[in-house]
Amino acid sequence: MNYLNSRLYDGIRKVGFRKWYERELLSSHAHMVLAFLCIIGMMAAFEAFRGGTLSDKLFDAAAIVACGGIGIWALRRYLYLLMNAEVVANQANCPECKAYGLFTALSEDRISGQTQVRCKKCAHEWQIEVN
């Protein structure tokens, strides 16, 4: 289990919504940094590809493929985590009292991707849908 990217229900139960949201954003941006470092690695491998022996060129080609694959994975993960956190954050306002992020998780339906929550301020219950 990835501690930084726990499911919404587990994250709210353990650390609360605001900390869960913060951790999702931090993890998302760490993946963006990894994608950026992969771009730099690819540019360096392309630069090194100009000269050298055949074995050096094969190593550079492998580095280009590895950096490209890891970079694409990191970019996709960045976008997924960021969009998931934003979808949840847009539903974090209590429909009754409009309090933001002040709720506790009651139950989770993993099949439908819904988490039942209760406002700490007015005790209103509503569902948050997760992709």
Side-chain angles (χ1 to χ4, degrees):
M1 178 168 168
N2 187 350
Y3 180 71
L4 290 177
N5 298 116
S6 58
R7 298 180 60 82
L8 176 64
Y9 177 77
D10 296 332
I12 292 172
R13 301 284 286 175
K14 288 179 184 174
V15 296
F17 169 72
R18 292 178 189 218
K19 285 283 187 185
W20 174 86
Y21 182 65
E22 177 184 332
R23 289 177 181 180
E24 287 291 304
L25 292 180
L26 286 173
S27 180
S28 170
H29 286 84
H31 283 87
M32 180 186 68
V33 169
L34 177 61
F36 182 72
L37 291 175
C38 286
I39 290 171
I40 292 172
M42 281 182 65
M43 291 185 337
F46 275 122
E47 184 68 27
F49 194 77
R50 286 186 183 176
T53 63
L54 179 62
S55 63
D56 289 340
K57 289 186 178 193
L58 288 174
F59 180 77
D60 292 336
I64 290 168
V65 170
C67 286
I70 294 169
I72 289 171
W73 171 83
L75 185 61
R76 288 177 49 102
R77 187 75 178 151
Y78 161 69
L79 292 172
Y80 170 77
L81 291 172
L82 185 65
M83 290 300 113
N84 186 48
E86 290 304 311
V87 164
V88 172
N90 288 334
Q91 301 174 60
N93 287 331
C94 175
E96 292 294 317
C97 68
K98 306 299 183 210
Y100 178 74
L102 295 175
F103 55 83
T104 56
L106 301 176
S107 64
E108 174 186 42
D109 183 8
R110 289 188 180 199
I111 295 171
S112 66
Q114 295 179 342
T115 301
Q116 185 76 21
V117 296
R118 178 185 298 136
C119 180
K120 291 180 181 178
K121 198 172 180 183
C122 68
H124 178 72
E125 293 184 9
W126 76 98
Q127 291 184 347
I128 294 179
E129 293 185 31
V130 181
N131 294 341

